[in-house]
Amino acid sequence: MGKKPMYRQIADAIRLQVENGELKAGDALPTESALQAQFAVSRVTVRQALKQLTEQQIIESIQGSGSYVKEEKVNYDIYQLTSLYEKLADRNVETHSEVQIFEVTKADDILAAHLQLAVDDKVWHVKRVRFIKQKPVTLEETWMPLTLFPDLTWEVMENSKYHFIENVKKMVIDRSEQEIIPVMPSEDVVKALGVDASKPVLEKVSRGYLRDGQVFEFSRNVFKSDDYKFTLVARRKH
């Protein structure tokens, strides 16, 4: 490695591990203290190495979580109603959810209107962080009518909600009406996704419909914009 500064030698060693496939997209890097011990250097030197790798788009740091090998962005096709698991199935990437809130509550005026229910009707309120491997990428808050899903469980929401609706409940999902807007992240979002509190994030507000026209969910999803790209196809009339 010659006389390269130590932080560059460390960055080169980690980059080589990525290129060789020893470290794969989404994998967590060793902690700063582990890298310090491995290379017998100071924390400042380790941080310089990580900074260089971040600037080169090889890794990314998640506040309060650590550094990860950067992944290709998840393509969110606005015209395809698929779960996070389905979006990533062809890439053989592990996904899971961390449920933060799982409760039954009463619909207020706004929720009742969104879910086509009466005020005070009971609804599930679920808040969960969606992960790709060990990296948090989406914070989702969703409300679903209790009468439709009396047997909904915490375990279901740790995995795929759509799989439960279609394969267990045998319901037919028809469509989702979605609106995507840039918003400033709340404290919850900053904490859950490790985003910069001063930069906007993308929020998707959606209502899901069954084939019979019944609304089965109202959701708010906040995405880390550096993990997602949104695509649509516009066709010209002839």
Side-chain angles (χ1 to χ4, degrees):
M1 292 188 186
K3 293 182 179 178
K4 271 188 188 176
M6 198 60 203
Y7 77 90
R8 285 195 181 174
Q9 294 183 39
I10 297 168
D12 287 348
I14 293 171
R15 189 186 307 105
L16 197 60
Q17 285 183 294
V18 173
E19 288 170 1
N20 290 343
E22 293 169 55
L23 283 171
K24 295 180 172 60
D27 282 354
L29 263 63
T31 61
E32 287 185 2
S33 52
L35 289 170
Q36 268 183 268
Q38 182 183 342
F39 292 100
V41 293
S42 69
R43 187 169 291 257
V44 171
T45 301
V46 166
R47 286 183 174 171
Q48 279 181 300
L50 296 178
K51 182 171 181 283
Q52 184 180 64
L53 290 167
T54 301
E55 287 168 354
Q56 292 170 346
Q57 301 281 304
I58 291 164
I59 67 165
E60 60 182 332
S61 294
I62 309 293
Q63 190 179 323
S65 178
S67 296
Y68 297 83
V69 179
K70 198 164 176 62
E71 295 198 64
E72 179 187 344
K73 291 188 178 189
V74 178
N75 184 34
Y76 197 106
D77 187 335
I78 291 169
Y79 289 123
Q80 292 220 327
L81 182 55
T82 50
S83 67
L84 178 66
Y85 171 79
E86 290 166 332
K87 288 183 199 309
L88 294 168
D90 62 338
R91 283 163 53 180
N92 198 25
V93 173
E94 173 212 334
T95 65
H96 71 278
S97 298
E98 185 180 283
V99 178
Q100 295 184 334
I101 295 173
F102 184 80
E103 64 183 5
V104 174
T105 186
K106 291 182 178 179
D108 59 15
D109 293 1
I110 295 169
L111 266 181
H114 282 308
L115 290 170
Q116 297 176 351
L117 299 173
V119 173
D120 287 342
D121 276 359
K122 290 182 177 177
V123 296
W124 285 109
H125 171 219
V126 185
K127 192 173 188 177
R128 58 185 184 163
V129 183
R130 313 299 307 276
F131 287 79
I132 297 175
K133 294 192 178 177
Q134 300 307 310
K135 186 175 67 172
V137 293
T138 309
L139 179 64
E140 177 194 84
E141 199 161 9
T142 190
W143 295 265
M144 303 161 74
L146 180 66
T147 51
L148 272 185
F149 308 106
D151 51 347
L152 186 69
T153 65
W154 182 290
E155 287 73 24
V156 164
M157 297 307 290
E158 283 183 316
N159 295 287
S160 173
K161 173 177 60 184
Y162 284 2
H163 180 272
F164 170 73
I165 293 169
E166 294 178 317
N167 295 78
V168 178
K169 302 298 289 182
K170 304 299 183 186
M171 296 175 176
V172 180
I173 296 173
D174 179 61
R175 71 188 190 281
S176 174
E177 294 177 357
Q178 307 177 356
E179 179 182 80
I180 296 172
I181 49 175
V183 296
M184 295 308 292
S186 64
E187 281 183 35
D188 274 2
V189 171
V190 171
K191 186 177 176 184
L193 303 183
V195 295
D196 186 335
S198 65
K199 292 182 180 176
V201 290
L202 294 171
E203 181 179 70
K204 174 171 72 74
V205 180
S206 60
R207 270 203 303 187
Y209 291 82
L210 298 175
R211 184 178 282 173
D212 64 6
Q214 191 165 5
V215 178
F216 71 88
E217 73 165 337
F218 171 67
S219 292
R220 291 182 179 277
N221 285 265
V222 177
F223 299 91
K224 282 184 67 185
S225 54
D226 57 347
D227 287 314
Y228 279 84
K229 60 180 179 181
F230 290 77
T231 64
L232 55 85
V233 177
R235 300 192 186 282
R236 187 166 174 80
K237 284 187 177 181
H238 292 287

